[in-house]
Amino acid sequence: MAKEFQGQVNILPAIGVPGQHMSTNPLVSTQKGYCAADTVTIGGFVWAVAENDAFVKSTGTGAPLGFAVREITNPLGYNQPASNNVPKGFPVSVAVKGDFAVITRTAATVGQSVFAVLANGSIKTGTAGDTVDDAIETDYKVVNINGGGAEGDIIVISNWA
């Protein structure tokens, strides 16, 4: 693996890492454990696999099962300096309630609803009750933005709010 020099210095600390639990509010997980049916992205929504409900994936239809949480048990990526992916067959912690850091795929403002993108489980934001292309509304809301809340920024979502 090639050694690289630091490429960026931030003025402020990061608000969090995608999938990280972000408050003292309880984190409510599903009643059973799951494994990744395919590579699952931590910090996004997941759906149960219809053929075998012991597995989850980052794609689906209808309401997602829950949110893929960053845990100490998540495996490190192979031959990668950093990874936020769970490889096929490894355990995935799935939460149904909590406050989490996520990367937004659209501009975000506090109070907006959170939508799960059906193709990859990523997060888009919008007005409650609106339609967002190729996404489904969840019960999460944007509760904190770091900086401007621009596309690609880390924000905090919650369904306790």
Side-chain angles (χ1 to χ4, degrees), residues 20-91:
Q20 177 182 352
H21 185 230
M22 294 297 294
S23 75
T24 57
N25 284 335
L27 183 150
V28 181
S29 295
T30 55
Q31 292 181 336
K32 67 179 187 175
Y34 293 92
C35 288
D38 289 314
T39 301
V40 169
T41 303
I42 298 299
F45 290 98
V46 295
W47 287 261
V49 174
E51 304 80 42
N52 186 342
D53 68 354
F55 290 88
V56 293
K57 57 185 179 175
S58 293
T59 62
T61 57
L65 171 67
F67 182 84
V69 181
R70 185 177 187 84
E71 298 263 339
I72 193 77
T73 58
N74 294 140
L76 298 174
Y78 302 110
N79 293 324
Q80 296 179 12
S83 174
N84 219 25
N85 295 322
V86 176
K88 179 179 180 177
F90 282 83

Side-chain angles (χ1 to χ4, degrees), residues 11 33 38 74 96-97 113 137:
I11 296 172
D38 289 314
N74 294 140
V96 294
K97 201 158 185 78
S113 286
E137 189 171 2

